């Protein structure tokens, strides 16, 4: 059984910072891309940032320059450093990983359970 466990959410004032972590555990052969998504109340889930196994990154325009995604392949962990937080960043943040459990397995997407980020004064 493979699972993604997120941590690091919470309440922060506008302009503040938070760091999210997402660790994959279980039987894992390889992880391709990892990413962060978010879903605000009444809105669709949207892409925040992604990072490939080689370290290439991509960001939504709304967070570019404020958020930084990184990963530690040895720990099967992806991070999201969020600086300059705004009230509109308030959402449940989910991580996603493209995982192969065995060398002969097909790749599948796995989602974490989500962590709440609230930006408010």
């Amino acid at each position: 059984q493979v699972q993604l466990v997120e941590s690091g959410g919470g309440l922060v004032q506008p302009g503040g910072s938070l760091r999210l972590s997402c660790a994959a555990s279980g039987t894992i052969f390889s992880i391709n891309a990892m990413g962060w998504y978010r879903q605000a109340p009444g809105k669709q889930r949207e892409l925040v940032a992604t990072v490939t196994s080689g370290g290439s990154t991509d960001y939504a325009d709304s967070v570019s320059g404020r958020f930084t995604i990184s990963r530690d392949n040895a720990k099967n962990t992806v991070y999201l450093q969020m600086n300059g937080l705004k009230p509109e960043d308030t959402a449940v943040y989910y991580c996603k990983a493209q995982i192969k459990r065995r060398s002969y397995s097909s790749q599948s997407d796995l989602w974490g359970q989500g962590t709440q980020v609230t930006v408010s004064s």
Side-chain angles (χ1 to χ4, degrees):
Q1 188 77 0
V2 180
Q3 62 177 351
L4 299 179
V5 178
E6 298 141 342
S7 60
L11 172 64
V12 64
Q13 292 185 342
S17 298
L18 282 175
R19 188 190 194 212
L20 306 183
S21 299
C22 173
S25 62
T27 301
I28 299 171
F29 174 75
S30 65
I31 302 178
N32 192 2
M34 303 183 82
W36 289 95
Y37 295 73
R38 67 186 181 186
Q39 187 167 18
K43 295 188 177 181
Q44 289 188 330
R45 190 172 298 189
E46 63 177 3
L47 172 70
V48 175
T50 59
V51 58
T52 67
S53 57
S56 296
T57 59
D58 191 27
Y59 296 92
D61 289 344
S62 58
V63 306
S64 184
R66 299 188 296 124
F67 292 9
T68 302
I69 189 171
S70 60
R71 64 190 283 174
D72 184 333
N73 291 330
K75 296 181 178 179
N76 289 334
T77 299
V78 62
Y79 305 97
L80 186 68
Q81 178 66 43
M82 304 185 292
N83 298 329
L85 282 161
K86 304 175 181 180
E88 50 263 44
D89 294 318
T90 295
V92 177
Y93 283 70
Y94 299 89
C95 68
K96 187 180 84 168
Q98 296 175 335
I99 293 178
K100 290 186 65 173
R101 292 173 172 75
R102 307 286 184 183
S103 60
Y104 50 81
S105 302
S106 57
Q107 183 174 276
S108 60
D109 289 345
L110 187 66
W111 289 89
Q113 81 284 356
T115 185
Q116 177 70 46
V117 172
T118 302
V119 185
S120 175
S121 55

